[in-house]
Amino acid sequence: MTDRLKKQLDFALEIDKEKNIFRQTHLSNHGRNENDAEHAWHMAIMAYLLREYSNEPVDIGKVMLMCLIHDIVEIEAGDTYAYDEEGKKTQALREKQAKEHLFGMLPNDQASELMALFEEFEAYETAESKFAHSMDNLQPLMLNNSNGGSDWREHGVSAAQVHGRQDKTALGSKELFKVVDAIIDANVKAGNIKDE
């Protein structure tokens, strides 16, 4: 076995640990907590299915790969809940260290490629990263809505907090943001999201 292949296989095995990182979001129909790998897979499929609603033309393969790798760093950095203001203070540093270590396991060319793709996603500047972020916002929103807003109620999340995250969906897809906005409004009216 070549050194390159060994590094690639070691990385492939290492990222299996993403299945052990559980999120605050529950699976649809009041299922168990979703893990990061399920979230990434779901986002990637959604991106492919919904690509026609992107504000700009996108390289859908690139978007899907962004979706698949964006939370790999959480293997070491842990999941930071979208509304955990304290956790967000250290999130960037934790994820930077994890990115360098985990992607650094790969051969140099692939390490550089995936680190650049992760950084592009985080920068939120390209059409691909904006659309990938739209999926990152829409996917848990859909699951939470399917569960009667139970995760929002459990954490006492306010409309301002949800809008603070979800309004950025419009940067990637104005059409999908209409759906997002309607879901938020319905959950505020139902008392699942605090109207503050």
Side-chain angles (χ1 to χ4, degrees):
M1 180 184 317
T2 64
D3 181 59
R4 179 179 178 85
L5 178 55
K6 181 179 186 322
K7 287 179 178 179
Q8 291 165 326
L9 293 176
D10 286 348
F11 177 79
L13 184 59
E14 186 69 15
I15 64 172
D16 182 67
K17 293 177 182 174
E18 191 176 11
K19 297 172 189 172
N20 294 315
I21 307 301
F22 286 89
R23 299 165 46 81
Q24 294 297 315
T25 306
H26 288 78
L27 300 177
S28 59
N29 299 311
H30 302 282
R32 63 163 168 76
N33 287 69
E34 171 187 54
N35 69 46
D36 272 356
E38 292 164 333
H39 167 63
W41 163 83
H42 202 185
M43 282 175 59
I45 295 292
M46 286 174 59
Y48 181 79
L49 294 174
L50 302 173
R51 67 191 183 275
E52 67 197 80
Y53 304 108
S54 176
N55 292 340
E56 303 173 65
V58 291
D59 175 341
I60 197 61
K62 187 176 187 182
V63 172
M64 292 173 74
L65 190 52
M66 278 183 186
C67 291
L68 291 170
I69 70 160
H70 83 288
D71 276 345
I72 285 176
V73 294
E74 293 185 2
I75 292 168
E76 294 181 3
D79 177 56
T80 303
Y81 182 48
Y83 308 111
D84 176 4
E85 296 308 317
E86 196 60 35
K88 286 182 187 178
K89 292 176 184 176
T90 61
Q91 183 179 10
L93 178 60
R94 287 182 284 119
E95 291 188 354
K96 178 182 184 294
Q97 291 169 338
K99 170 194 74 174
E100 290 169 0
H101 177 253
L102 290 165
F103 294 133
M105 295 174 67
L106 285 163
N108 290 340
D109 61 319
Q110 290 182 323
S112 295
E113 177 186 5
L114 293 188
M115 279 192 235
L117 199 59
F118 177 86
E119 289 163 5
E120 180 179 340
F121 175 81
E122 290 294 307
Y124 225 124
E125 295 172 351
T126 63
E128 286 78 13
S129 66
K130 290 173 186 175
F131 191 62
H133 272 284
S134 293
M135 298 303 101
D136 197 21
N137 292 340
L138 177 60
Q139 189 268 348
L141 183 95
M142 287 174 47
L143 292 183
N144 201 9
N145 186 55
S146 81
N147 291 319
S150 60
D151 292 325
W152 289 313
R153 281 195 317 275
E154 179 184 334
H155 294 282
V157 176
S158 72
Q161 287 175 298
V162 179
H163 275 291
R165 176 180 175 88
Q166 292 292 336
D167 287 358
K168 294 178 183 173
T169 300
L171 298 175
S173 174
K174 291 176 184 169
E175 191 64 30
L176 294 176
F177 178 70
K178 292 176 189 175
V179 175
V180 165
D181 201 36
I183 289 172
I184 295 170
D185 287 347
N187 278 276
V188 168
K189 286 175 185 163
N192 301 324
I193 299 172
K194 293 188 297 186
D195 191 11
E196 297 177 355

